[in-house]
Amino acid sequence: QVQVVESGGGLVQAGGSLRLSCAASGIVFRINAMGWHRQAPGKQRELVAVSTDGESVTYADSVKGRFTISRDNAKNTVYLQMNSLKPDDTAVYYCNADLQSTSYSLSRTYWGQGTQVTVSS
């Protein structure tokens, strides 16, 4: 069994900062990638940032220079530091982990339940 749990969402004024955390727990052999997506009301879920093997990172153009993704591999945890927040960043933020439960299993994607981020103008 694998659980992915996010924390750190909330309400913040425009220009403010928030830090999201996400931990993968349970039977985890290897994490290949961890990242964040978001979904605003009436919109499709979109990629925010992803960290692959703790080395390569990719950001959506809309958050480059404002958001930073980082990982603590020892804790199977990924963070998203969000600065200079804008009302357009308001969404439910979902964490995902692409991982193998054993050395011989295929990689699967696990999702967290989501955490609400609301940015007021």
Side-chain angles (χ1 to χ4, degrees):
Q1 296 291 342
V2 174
Q3 297 83 39
V4 175
V5 179
E6 306 103 332
S7 61
L11 172 65
V12 65
Q13 288 188 332
S17 298
L18 281 175
R19 187 189 194 213
L20 306 182
S21 301
C22 170
S25 62
I27 303 175
V28 178
F29 171 74
R30 174 186 171 89
I31 296 179
N32 298 307
M34 294 188 80
W36 295 91
H37 289 65
R38 68 186 181 186
Q39 187 167 18
K43 295 186 177 181
Q44 290 187 336
R45 189 174 297 190
E46 62 177 1
L47 173 71
V48 176
V50 60
S51 170
T52 303
D53 290 338
E55 296 288 341
S56 173
V57 297
T58 300
Y59 294 98
D61 288 341
S62 59
V63 306
K64 284 181 181 176
R66 300 188 298 122
F67 291 10
T68 302
I69 188 171
S70 61
R71 281 173 62 177
D72 184 337
N73 292 326
K75 297 181 179 180
N76 292 339
T77 298
V78 65
Y79 305 95
L80 186 67
Q81 178 65 43
M82 305 185 293
N83 299 328
S84 302
L85 282 160
K86 305 174 182 179
D88 284 349
D89 295 318
T90 295
V92 177
Y93 284 69
Y94 296 92
C95 173
N96 72 281
D98 296 336
L99 62 86
Q100 296 168 252
S101 295
T102 67
S103 61
Y104 50 83
S105 61
L106 297 176
S107 185
R108 279 187 57 187
T109 300
Y110 295 84
W111 291 89
Q113 79 287 353
T115 185
Q116 177 70 46
V117 171
T118 303
V119 184
S120 62
S121 57

